[in-house]
C-alpha cells in the first residue's frame, strides 16, 4: 500500500526541509519544517536512545540488524501515521489545529462506516486514557528521572532542582501551543 515510501519520499523530505513548499500565504499555524520537527520530537525519544543501548548490550551486534529491519518497516508506518493525522485533523481554528490518533480513529470510522462513529469516539477516548497513563509513568517521568540522575552524577545538581528546571522549561514551550513548539 505504501509503495516503499521510505525510499520514494527521501528526496521529497529534503525539499520540505529546504523550504521549497513554504509560502507565507499557505494556511496553517506552522511551516512544513516546523511540522516535521514537531512530529520527530514526538517520535524520537526514550526507545531511540536508551532502548538502542539496552538492545545492543543485551542482544549484541545481531540486535543492530533487527533494529534496521524494524526501522525499515517503521519508516513506512510513520509516513502512514502522519498522512492519516493530516487527513483527519480538525482545522476549524486554523491557528490552533487539533489532531492525533484519537481524531483519526473517531473520524475515519465515522467516515468509512457511519454506524461505527460512536465506537470510534469510545476507542479514541480509551486511547487518550492509556496515553495519559503512559506519559505520566513510562514516558516523561522516566526521561526526567534519567536527566535528574545524570545531572546529579556529573554536576552535583540535586535531582529536585533539575526536575523543577525541566518543568519550567517544558511548560514554557508546551503552554505556548503549536506555534511555540514549532518555533523551539
Amino acid at each position: 500500500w505504501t509503495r516503499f515510501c521510505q525510499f520514494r519520499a527521501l528526496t521529497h523530505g529534503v525539499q520540505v526541509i529546504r523550504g521549497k513548499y513554504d509560502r507565507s500565504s499557505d494556511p496553517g499555524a506552522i511551516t512544513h519544517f516546523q511540522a516535521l520537527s514537531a512530529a520527530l520530537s514526538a517520535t524520537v525519544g526514550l526507545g531511540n536512545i536508551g532502548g538502542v543501548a539496552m538492545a545492543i548490550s543485551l542482544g549484541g551486534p545481531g540486535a543492530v540488524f533487527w533494529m534496521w529491519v524494524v526501522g525499515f518497516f517503521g519508516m513506512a508506518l510513520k509516513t502512514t501515521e502522519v498522512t492519516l493525522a493530516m487527513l483527519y485533523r480538525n482545522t476549524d481554528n486554523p491557528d490552533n489545529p487539533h489532531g492525533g490518533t484519537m481524531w483519526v480513529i473517531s473520524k475515519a470510522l465515522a467516515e468509512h462506516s457511519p454506524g461505527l462513529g460512536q465506537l470510534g469516539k469510545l476507542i479514541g477516548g480509551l486511547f487518550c486514557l492509556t496515553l495519559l497513563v503512559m506519559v505520566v509513568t513510562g514516558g516523561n517521568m522516566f526521561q526526567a528521572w534519567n536527566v535528574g540522575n545524570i545531572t546529579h552524577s556529573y554536576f552535583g545538581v540535586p535531582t529536585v532542582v533539575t526536575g523543577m528546571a525541566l518543568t519550567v522549561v517544558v511548560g514554557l514551550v508546551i503552554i505556548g501551543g503549536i506555534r511555540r513548539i514549532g518555533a523551539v
Side-chain angles (χ1 to χ4, degrees):
W1 180 84
T2 62
R3 296 186 311 267
F4 295 100
C5 63
Q6 55 271 65
F7 297 115
R8 290 184 304 104
L10 282 178
T11 57
H12 177 71
V14 171
Q15 293 169 345
V16 168
I17 291 171
R18 289 181 49 226
K20 179 178 180 179
Y21 301 104
D22 290 341
R23 288 183 294 278
S24 59
S25 61
D26 283 344
I30 57 177
T31 67
H32 292 94
F33 178 72
Q34 290 171 331
L36 174 67
S37 297
L40 286 175
S41 71
T43 303
V44 177
L46 185 61
N48 299 92
I49 299 166
V52 170
M54 175 90 60
I56 292 172
S57 68
L58 294 176
V64 175
F65 169 76
W66 290 109
M67 283 187 274
W68 288 342
V69 171
V70 170
F72 174 77
F73 292 107
M75 286 187 281
L77 181 65
K78 185 63 179 178
T79 302
T80 304
E81 176 188 343
V82 171
T83 302
L84 287 170
M86 296 301 292
L87 290 173
Y88 292 106
R89 65 186 172 170
N90 181 347
T91 56
D92 292 342
N93 179 359
D95 289 336
N96 191 20
H98 295 83
T101 306
M102 57 279 188
W103 287 86
V104 172
I105 293 170
S106 63
K107 286 186 166 187
L109 276 178
E111 182 180 313
H112 294 288
S113 302
L116 297 179
Q118 292 301 323
L119 178 64
K121 288 183 180 182
L122 176 69
I123 295 172
L126 288 173
F127 173 81
C128 289
L129 290 175
T130 57
L131 182 65
L132 285 171
V133 171
M134 191 282 304
V135 164
V136 169
T137 58
N140 300 337
M141 184 183 293
F142 185 70
Q143 291 181 31
W145 176 77
N146 275 329
V147 171
N149 278 340
I150 289 171
T151 307
H152 179 68
S153 296
Y154 288 103
F155 303 109
V157 177
T159 56
V160 173
V161 173
T162 303
M164 288 189 290
L166 284 173
T167 301
V168 170
V169 170
V170 170
L172 288 172
V173 173
I174 291 176
I175 292 173
I178 191 64
R179 287 185 188 271
R180 183 155 323 143
I181 292 171
V184 171

